[in-house]
Amino acid sequence: MIKFLDLHKINERFRAEINQRLKNILDCGWYLQGKENDTFCQNFAKYCGTKYALGVANGLDAINLIIKGYGFGAGDEIIVPANTFIATILAVSENGCTPVLVEPDINTYCIDPDLIEEKITSKTKAIIVVHLYGQAVQMEKIWNLAKKYNLKVIEDAAQAHGAYYQNRRTGNLGDAAAFSFYPGKNLGAMGDAGGITTNDPELYEKVKAIANYGSDYKYHHIYKGTNSRLDEFQAAILDVKLKYLDDDNARRREIAKYYRENIKNPKITLPQVYDENAHVWHVFVVRCDNRESLQKHLETNGIQTNIHYPTAPHRQGAYKELESMNLPITEKIHNEVLSLPISPVMTCEEIKKIVEVINKYV
Ligand SMILES: *Cc1c(COP(=O)(O)O)cnc(C)c1O
């Protein structure tokens, strides 16, 4: 069986280094907001090209804290892609803001920049872009709109660690960015973890305080904060893995290239790529009219697949208030997408087999 994602194999490569770093923490006995956190945050900020990085508990918190940091709440509208993992939208509604859903571009699967302006009102405060599946949103038009209407641009970069737009990395494409280091992400911890990057010193200080009980220094609370911190173990693991992220992303790129050049089946729509060197392929998503039968065919032939995602957020029970929205492109995508295995530890034999099996699908 070819697994969709072999996390054990991915992490096994770093066993010795991680062992050493975790041993150091045990020896020193400091578990939160210590050296490992500082080191990782410095290295991650440098990697993204931003002035600041803050470790937080998970990706959802990262988005949530940015919204809190800007002080958006009840009565404010935030533009979000209709086609995303539900976390993006949850962070908006959790703060009492209204999520304003915008259809994706059928080619990029990311928010369609041409459909945003008509949704902007006097209540709009921000645009959240999601670099879905590992490809950065084409930002130019988003920047122009943000400038024209004085909006914040918030990146949900949970699927795109290391991806580029032009010569800038994700995390450095807006006013602030949220990352998830959930184990299956391109840069994954061994538990829950997340991060925020920004060049804005005010926002950085504010989210840092909010994430630590609203405290700017010990037992001094200036915000009604929360507890969302990155622990030393996860920070150490992430700092080890960060060194290999570019190599891992390069391997993902090779596999994606092989798929794109060799999958030749008229029933399969391959993903469109805007910059071959910039995409980090968190997942390799194809479309097929009869997705379930393709998935079955692959499974019968020993290949595990996944669906990102089977049900659109506005069709979820949690968002009954959005149920009546007419979002045909989003729904078409949710009905047709299938994610093939892609990871830096896959063998050439596995990749070849997947292509052969797909090409035999009728
Ligand atoms: C994974 C993910 C999140 C949430 O991250 P968690 O660490 O699981 O909270 C948010 N947005 C997107 C697009 C994601 O893929």
Side-chain angles (χ1 to χ4, degrees):
M1 170 66 89
I2 301 176
K3 283 192 183 177
F4 178 70
L5 188 64
D6 191 342
L7 282 179
H8 180 265
K9 198 171 171 188
I10 286 176
N11 288 325
E12 192 57 31
R13 300 173 297 161
F14 314 118
R15 180 186 283 268
E17 248 183 291
I18 288 172
N19 261 342
Q20 186 56 51
R21 294 284 283 269
L22 298 188
K23 181 178 176 297
N24 294 347
I25 299 168
L26 283 168
D27 288 346
C28 132
W30 192 274
Y31 311 112
L32 277 168
Q33 294 184 305
K35 278 197 304 239
E36 296 292 350
N37 200 341
D38 289 347
T39 307
F40 171 66
C41 288
Q42 274 172 25
N43 288 333
F44 193 63
K46 202 163 132 196
Y47 180 85
C48 295
T50 56
K51 287 204 184 96
Y52 310 99
L54 176 74
V56 298
N58 55 64
L60 172 60
D61 277 8
I63 313 168
N64 202 343
L65 284 160
I66 293 170
I67 296 171
K68 281 192 170 57
Y70 283 127
F72 302 146
D76 294 334
E77 293 176 358
I78 298 183
I79 307 258
V80 286
N83 181 46
T84 180
F85 178 56
I86 198 162
T88 322
I89 299 168
L90 284 173
V92 172
S93 41
E94 218 172 300
N95 282 288
C97 304
T98 305
V100 177
L101 272 46
V102 173
E103 283 267 73
D105 176 327
I106 189 69
N107 297 315
T108 65
Y109 304 132
C110 292
I111 194 164
D112 186 339
D114 294 327
L115 301 179
I116 294 176
E117 192 160 16
E118 64 199 57
K119 297 288 181 75
I120 294 174
T121 72
S122 58
K123 294 177 183 165
T124 310
K125 291 288 163 33
I127 302 171
I128 302 186
V129 295
V130 182
H131 308 300
L132 203 69
Y133 305 153
Q135 178 156 251
V137 169
Q138 305 295 295
M139 295 298 294
E140 205 69 55
K141 286 180 184 166
I142 312 267
W143 289 332
N144 291 339
L145 285 173
K147 207 166 164 192
K148 183 169 168 190
Y149 293 97
N150 192 25
L151 308 174
K152 295 292 181 196
V153 175
I154 301 169
E155 295 172 75
D156 178 342
Q159 302 191 355
H161 320 67
Y164 280 95
Y165 175 70
Q166 295 167 355
N167 55 355
R168 281 156 66 181
R169 285 206 203 260
T170 60
N172 190 23
L173 299 176
D175 294 286
F179 285 89
S180 164
F181 306 118
Y182 177 82
K185 305 286 160 120
N186 289 35
L187 179 60
M190 296 183 186
D192 275 317
I196 293 171
T197 56
T198 183
N199 290 310
D200 176 348
E202 236 172 88
L203 181 79
Y204 170 72
E205 291 302 335
K206 195 166 172 193
V207 287
K208 191 173 162 186
I210 295 172
N212 190 28
Y213 295 110
S215 163
D216 54 350
Y217 59 89
K218 202 165 187 184
Y219 301 135
H220 187 260
H221 304 271
I222 50 174
Y223 308 110
K224 294 185 188 78
T226 182
N227 175 2
S228 183
R229 300 181 294 224
L230 177 66
D231 69 73
E232 290 286 281
F233 273 39
Q234 300 306 336
I237 290 164
L238 290 167
D239 196 52
V240 168
K241 292 181 71 176
L242 178 60
K243 290 185 298 209
Y244 305 97
L245 178 59
D246 282 342
D247 288 346
D248 277 5
N249 283 341
R251 177 65 185 142
R252 286 174 185 270
R253 236 169 253 137
E254 276 175 12
I255 297 168
K257 189 158 189 271
Y258 186 84
Y259 281 156
R260 290 175 55 241
E261 284 172 357
N262 294 285
I263 294 176
K264 292 196 170 91
N265 185 328
K267 296 205 156 153
I268 312 285
T269 307
L270 291 166
Q272 278 201 21
V273 179
Y274 286 82
D275 181 349
E276 200 80 54
N277 300 314
H279 199 318
V280 294
W281 300 102
H282 172 56
V283 282
F284 189 95
V285 174
V286 298
R287 288 200 343 258
C288 179
D289 285 343
N290 197 343
R291 182 242 326 265
E292 271 67 33
S293 99
L294 173 64
Q295 185 169 39
K296 196 88 199 264
H297 169 77
L298 286 158
E299 197 185 306
T300 312
N301 286 283
I303 299 160
Q304 254 181 13
T305 57
N306 219 325
I307 296 170
H308 298 92
Y309 298 90
T311 308
H314 73 286
R315 291 283 178 229
Q316 299 282 357
Y319 281 105
K320 291 231 158 49
E321 69 272 31
L322 302 174
E323 194 176 44
S324 61
M325 285 193 78
N326 180 31
L327 299 163
I329 303 170
T330 300
E331 278 165 41
K332 180 180 168 63
I333 291 170
H334 280 78
N335 289 330
E336 295 181 358
V337 288
L338 187 70
S339 306
L340 306 182
I342 189 164
S343 94
V345 296
M346 284 175 73
T347 64
C348 295
E349 292 72 49
E350 287 175 324
I351 300 153
K352 263 176 92 173
K353 183 181 167 187
I354 291 168
V355 169
E356 278 165 24
V357 170
I358 292 194
N359 286 343
K360 278 192 201 128
Y361 171 71
V362 285

